Amino acid sequence: TTTTTTTNTTTNTTTSIPSSNPSMIQSRRVLYVGGLSNDVTLAMVRAAMIPFGPLKSVDMPMDYTSGVHKGFGFVEFEDADDAAEAIYNMDGSELMGRTLTVNLAQSNQQQQKLGDHKAIWSTDDWFQKQAGIEGKEEQDKKESTKQDESVLKEQ
C-alpha cells in the first residue's frame, strides 16, 4: 500500500494517510471560512486565500430570500498542505472588520447528530404515537400503575 505523508504546520506533527482513501485526503483540502461580512464578495475571499496556494474552488452559499450570502464560505485548495497553511495564517484574522473562523470543513453536522440516518417514521413507534395508539410497554406500565394505586387505596 502506498502512503502519502503530510506535515501539519500548526503542531509540527507528521501523519501518514493511505493514498487508497481519496475522500479523507480531499476533505483536508476544503476549508470552512466563517464570520464573513455581508460586504465580502467571492473575489475578496479568493484574493485572501490565493497567497497560500492554488485554489480549486470558492463557494459562498446564498440566502435567496435576502439576496446575500449566509456569512460563510468554503475554499478548496489543490494541496492539503496549502489548506493547513491557510488555517494557520487566516484563523482569527480580520477581513472587512470581522474576525474570520477558518478550519477544515466537516460534513453536515445535523446529519451526524441524528444518529443512524433513519427516517423517524421508519419504526412503528412513531406511527403509534402519531395515531394516539399506545405501545405494549406503555400499556403494561399504565396497568401496573393502576394496580399500585388500587393497592394503596385499599390500605
Side-chain angles (χ1 to χ4, degrees):
T1 313
T2 344
T3 57
T4 305
T5 304
T6 60
T7 303
N8 184 348
T9 57
T10 58
T11 58
N12 294 329
T13 59
T14 303
T15 54
S16 188
I17 301 170
S19 62
S20 61
N21 190 353
S23 64
M24 185 176 188
I25 294 171
Q26 183 179 359
S27 69
R28 296 179 49 118
R29 296 177 185 174
V30 181
L31 302 183
Y32 164 83
V33 181
L36 298 174
S37 166
N38 287 340
D39 299 330
V40 173
T41 65
L42 206 60
M44 289 178 183
V45 174
R46 180 178 295 279
M49 295 296 176
I50 199 85
F52 304 106
L55 304 177
K56 272 190 169 180
S57 65
V58 175
D59 183 38
M60 294 171 63
M62 297 293 288
D63 179 8
Y64 293 106
T65 57
S66 64
V68 295
H69 63 81
K70 295 182 177 184
F72 64 92
F74 299 97
V75 178
E76 183 178 7
F77 284 87
E78 288 186 12
D79 185 31
D81 291 335
D82 295 338
E85 196 64 32
I87 292 171
Y88 180 75
N89 288 290
M90 294 299 289
D91 187 37
S93 66
E94 243 182 61
L95 181 64
M96 301 282 294
R98 302 272 301 265
T99 304
L100 297 180
T101 301
V102 180
N103 51 35
L104 288 175
Q106 299 175 1
S107 62
N108 190 348
Q109 293 296 313
Q110 186 169 356
Q111 286 180 353
Q112 290 177 352
K113 289 178 186 174
L114 293 177
D116 57 358
H117 306 293
K118 287 185 180 177
I120 58 171
W121 54 85
S122 65
T123 62
D124 290 336
D125 295 337
W126 185 83
F127 284 113
Q128 290 173 349
K129 191 182 255 186
Q130 296 303 314
I133 302 170
E134 297 174 352
K136 178 138 177 67
E137 288 181 17
E138 291 175 15
Q139 288 175 352
D140 292 343
K141 189 175 181 181
K142 281 188 178 181
E143 285 179 24
S144 67
T145 304
K146 284 181 184 178
Q147 289 174 355
D148 291 343
E149 287 175 356
S150 66
V151 169
L152 289 173
K153 285 181 184 178
E154 290 175 2
Q155 293 177 350

